[in-house]
Amino acid sequence: MEEMFKTLPQHTCSWLKSMPTLYKYQDVWNTQEFVEGTILAQQNFKADPSDVFLCSLPKSGTTWLKALVFAIITRETFDVSTSPLLTTLPHHCLPNCLELGVERSNENYTNSRFLPIPTHIPYNSLPQSIIASNCKIVYIYRNMKDVLVSYYNFFREKDKIPVEDAPFEVAFDEFCHGISWCGPYWDHVLGYWRASLDRPEVILLLKYEDMKKDPTSNVKRLADFIGYPFTIKEEEEGVIENIIKLCSFENLKSLEVNKSGKLFGDHPDSTENRLFFRKAKDGDWENYFTHQMVEKIDKLIDDKLGATGLVLK
Ligand code: PAP
């Protein structure tokens, strides 16, 4: 691996401390840890046909998707007043990240079924056995401008860098050159989007903005797709609405664990849980983009996605 890394294109993010060098492997920018994890997963991971994968580009709604899926699949074991989500970060409820090494488990939550496996690995770099086993994949995506603003603020705050020392313009330029964690953004989204057209029976795409507008039908689709459909009785009893409330941004953000807990405990590189719950506002990009930036990114989105039929604006 060491020899291989010397041959890969590298980029040092000047405005970040916590993500100093990104490497371009299989046309994707990522940290050394995640590139190594991807390679190991590609070499060793043996999918089970019943595995379900929760895929996303960072900052596209991963935390929300994990919370919803966890609440859906554990609803026979817990109700909304006993759910582990009340005391546990969603990333810890569904902890097995494919690129960080998977040990399948059900954590005694779902009887015999395994917990879904989250990953940020792009579609084209997924281990072949996931595709060959026809595993189900849920992909959540979000508009590029809000992803960029979320990404910028997450890392800036994680590193405690004041705004004046981390110019948004620098992050913007990098992002527009495709350089970001798991970037280019457009390749990540297009990879899963194209795959969902080829294999709609096993790949479900969820759009963050649509989920905000109409959570009920999207949560129903999600539950159906992953094999935990709601019964009519559950629908009448308001189980879907209760899950939506439990997993709402406002509720999760207000919980003590998500205000004061840390992702990796007291490890020096740990991340405060609160950073996963910033604003969750559609269109927050308007507070960051200049007129020229809007023009530039709209043109970029048109260039990259215009001919594909995928609408992101
Ligand atoms: P990750 O990839 O690092 O896990 P991810 O969860 O994908 O991050 O993205 C974080 C964004 O989701 C944040 O957006 P913002 O920066 O624009 O505020 C975060 O606020 C938002 N988010 C977190 N939880 C929820 C939720 N329950 N509902 C809606 N949005 C949420």
Side-chain angles (χ1 to χ4, degrees), residues 56-64 91 120 142 146 149-150 154 181 208 212 247-249 252 276-281 284:
S56 60
L57 183 82
K59 306 298 148 205
S60 300
T62 321
T63 313
W64 191 16
H91 291 288
H120 290 313
R142 184 181 186 188
D146 281 331
V149 168
S150 183
F154 178 86
W181 183 18
Y208 179 92
K212 288 200 119 195
C247 300
S248 71
F249 174 75
L252 293 184
F276 292 101
F277 307 91
R278 195 181 63 92
K279 281 192 188 170
K281 183 172 171 283
D284 190 34

Side-chain angles (χ1 to χ4, degrees), residues 57-214:
L57 183 82
K59 306 298 148 205
S60 300
T62 321
T63 313
W64 191 16
L65 179 64
K66 285 187 186 187
L68 287 169
V69 167
F70 184 80
I72 290 168
I73 67 178
T74 61
R75 68 184 188 273
E76 283 190 3
T77 315
F78 307 106
D79 65 23
V80 291
S81 66
T82 56
S83 174
L85 282 164
L86 297 170
T87 50
T88 316
L89 179 71
H91 291 288
H92 289 152
C93 290
L94 289 183
N96 290 333
C97 189
L98 183 57
E99 55 275 39
L100 296 180
V102 170
E103 283 192 25
R104 278 196 201 78
S105 74
N106 63 19
E107 303 275 354
N108 298 327
Y109 293 143
T110 56
N111 302 324
S112 58
R113 295 178 69 174
F114 291 130
L115 294 174
I117 300 169
T119 182
H120 290 313
I121 297 179
Y123 185 78
N124 290 337
S125 299
L126 286 175
Q128 264 312 307
S129 75
I130 296 177
I131 315 297
S133 305
N134 244 356
C135 295
K136 287 196 172 170
I137 293 174
V138 180
Y139 184 69
I140 187 163
Y141 66 108
R142 184 181 186 188
N143 82 78
M144 180 165 157
K145 295 171 186 163
D146 281 331
V147 169
L148 163 55
V149 168
S150 183
Y151 174 82
Y152 166 76
N153 281 304
F154 178 86
F155 284 105
R156 190 183 56 70
E157 287 191 33
K158 177 170 160 47
D159 285 346
K160 300 190 170 32
I161 308 174
V163 178
E164 52 283 12
D165 295 339
F168 179 69
E169 296 72 27
V170 179
F172 176 89
D173 276 340
E174 282 182 353
F175 210 84
C176 289
H177 280 100
I179 305 170
S180 63
W181 183 18
C182 297
Y185 166 93
W186 47 88
D187 285 346
H188 206 286
V189 179
L190 278 175
Y192 281 95
W193 181 73
R194 288 196 174 111
S196 77
L197 298 181
D198 287 346
R199 308 169 64 225
E201 62 295 342
V202 289
I203 304 182
L204 173 71
L205 253 62
L206 295 173
K207 199 168 176 181
Y208 179 92
E209 291 79 10
D210 289 349
M211 299 208 4
K212 288 200 119 195
K213 269 190 222 133
D214 183 1

